[in-house]
Amino acid sequence: MSRVGPGVSSRVGSGAGALLRLRWPVRVLAVLLALTLVLALAARGVLAPPDLVLLVVVAAALVSGSRAGAGLGLVGGWLLDLAPPGGEPLGLTALTLGAAGWVAGTAHRRAGHPWWWPVPVVALAFLTSRLVPVLLDLAVGRPVAWGSLTWQLVATATLGLVVVPLLERLDAALVRRRWA
């Protein structure tokens, strides 16, 4: 035991540092699984797969707030930037997913949220993550696939209705079992 403050003692492994024990490795593992699924869908010919990495980022942001959402968005974006085929400037996806995670984290509520809440949050995060690449395409005169973007938005938001609550429950289970 060590003294932390007047009359407050802590054991090694307890406190805020221990709360991050398994939470972040599980989140990064979920991002890697989502990235693998997105790459598998793209390899099978799906032209506009749902943004599964964004769903993991939104779930973390809704559970833990803007800082966690932005941090996981940066990690997920870096992984997406490094995954083949890398077409955008390196780091752009990381920055846009980080911004999307921060925006989604502003919707964080301590007392929970209604069942439909992930849909508008995912939609807003999706639009945030696609804003800079679309503006970049428009600035250099490249065509923007508006139909593909619309389909991706609808598919991602619809999947968010199921996937985000499942990831939130996984996070809550880690906390409940004191593994997080």
Side-chain angles (χ1 to χ4, degrees):
M1 281 224 203
S2 64
R3 284 274 187 218
V4 176
V8 178
S9 63
S10 71
R11 294 188 178 162
V12 176
S14 67
L19 276 178
L20 301 177
R21 231 181 348 202
L22 277 180
R23 181 177 274 179
W24 278 98
V26 167
R27 287 176 178 172
V28 171
L29 187 64
V31 165
L32 286 171
L33 178 65
L35 176 63
T36 303
L37 288 172
V38 167
L39 291 176
L41 287 173
R44 294 195 181 266
V46 177
L47 295 177
D51 194 345
L52 302 176
V53 175
L54 181 71
L55 295 179
V56 177
V57 170
V58 168
L62 285 176
V63 168
S64 299
S66 292
R67 290 178 68 187
L72 193 62
L74 283 171
V75 170
W78 284 324
L79 291 172
L80 276 170
D81 279 337
L82 295 174
E88 296 177 356
L90 189 62
L92 182 64
T93 308
L95 292 174
T96 57
L97 266 181
W102 180 81
V103 167
T106 60
H108 166 71
R109 296 179 175 183
R110 290 188 188 271
H113 52 76
W115 63 270
W116 51 266
W117 188 244
V119 174
V121 175
V122 167
L124 186 60
F126 181 87
L127 293 173
T128 302
S129 71
R130 297 306 190 270
L131 180 65
V132 173
V134 166
L135 290 176
L136 185 64
D137 285 345
L138 290 174
V140 298
R142 277 184 282 196
V144 177
W146 294 108
S148 175
L149 278 173
T150 304
W151 161 251
Q152 209 173 14
L153 171 65
V154 170
T156 303
T158 304
L159 273 175
L161 195 58
V162 175
V163 174
V164 170
L166 287 175
L167 291 170
E168 289 175 331
R169 287 191 177 125
L170 173 65
D171 198 84
L174 289 172
V175 171
R176 195 173 39 253
R177 289 184 173 87
R178 296 185 183 184
W179 290 349

